[in-house]
Amino acid sequence: MISNKIIERHSIDTMSSNNISEEALSQFNIKTPKIYTKVFESDVDTNELFHFHLIYEGRTECALSCFPSVCEALREYGIPAYRMSMSKMEIRQTLRILSEKVKTSYFKDTQIGVLF
């Protein structure tokens, strides 16, 4: 476990195309860490993510993953790994966008065209 230390190099897997951790860290007055990022789709194979983190073993101090199984496998391999989860605000926003898309699709399919 890493404690009382700023982590300067880590690997991260995320569904988000914009790296939230880099955005958050840029607000602090500290040296920007080296971040190796793997952006994945919803149907990703967790073995693929595990191997992504292994590629950077030795170049990073820890791994951040969205999947508990990836974290567990990395820890068993001896790599410090921590699980990330979405905030409640991100989940609400995602559900709001999904709801809007479903409504749009429904109304699009129920439109009737009339020609004279």
Side-chain angles (χ1 to χ4, degrees):
M1 182 176 190
I2 299 174
S3 61
N4 298 326
K5 180 181 176 186
I6 295 175
I7 299 171
E8 295 181 1
R9 300 177 321 270
H10 63 275
S11 58
I12 180 173
D13 60 58
T14 179
M15 285 187 78
S16 176
S17 59
N18 60 343
N19 198 336
I20 296 166
S21 61
E22 286 179 1
E23 276 181 37
L25 289 170
S26 70
Q27 297 177 24
F28 297 108
N29 191 17
I30 59 172
K31 178 183 167 190
T32 305
K34 180 64 181 167
I35 303 171
Y36 301 97
T37 306
K38 169 76 172 174
V39 178
F40 61 86
E41 297 295 322
S42 59
D43 60 345
V44 70
D45 178 11
T46 55
N47 285 325
E48 179 184 337
L49 297 177
F50 172 74
H51 290 291
F52 160 75
H53 291 287
L54 284 183
I55 290 170
Y56 296 104
E57 180 187 11
R59 290 185 263 177
T60 62
E61 298 172 74
C62 75
L64 302 172
S65 180
C66 298
F67 293 93
S69 60
V70 173
C71 286
E72 187 176 317
L74 289 167
R75 286 185 199 126
E76 287 176 7
Y77 199 80
I79 297 172
Y82 303 92
R83 183 174 177 267
M84 297 185 313
S85 62
M86 295 176 73
S87 69
K88 289 180 181 178
M89 184 177 68
E90 290 172 306
I91 294 169
R92 271 191 233 106
Q93 181 64 18
T94 301
L95 291 173
R96 192 174 297 123
I97 291 169
L98 177 62
S99 174
E100 289 172 12
K101 286 185 177 188
V102 167
K103 287 176 187 175
T104 301
S105 177
Y106 171 77
F107 288 119
K108 185 176 152 187
D109 290 340
T110 59
Q111 290 179 355
I112 299 173
V114 179
L115 295 172
F116 290 100

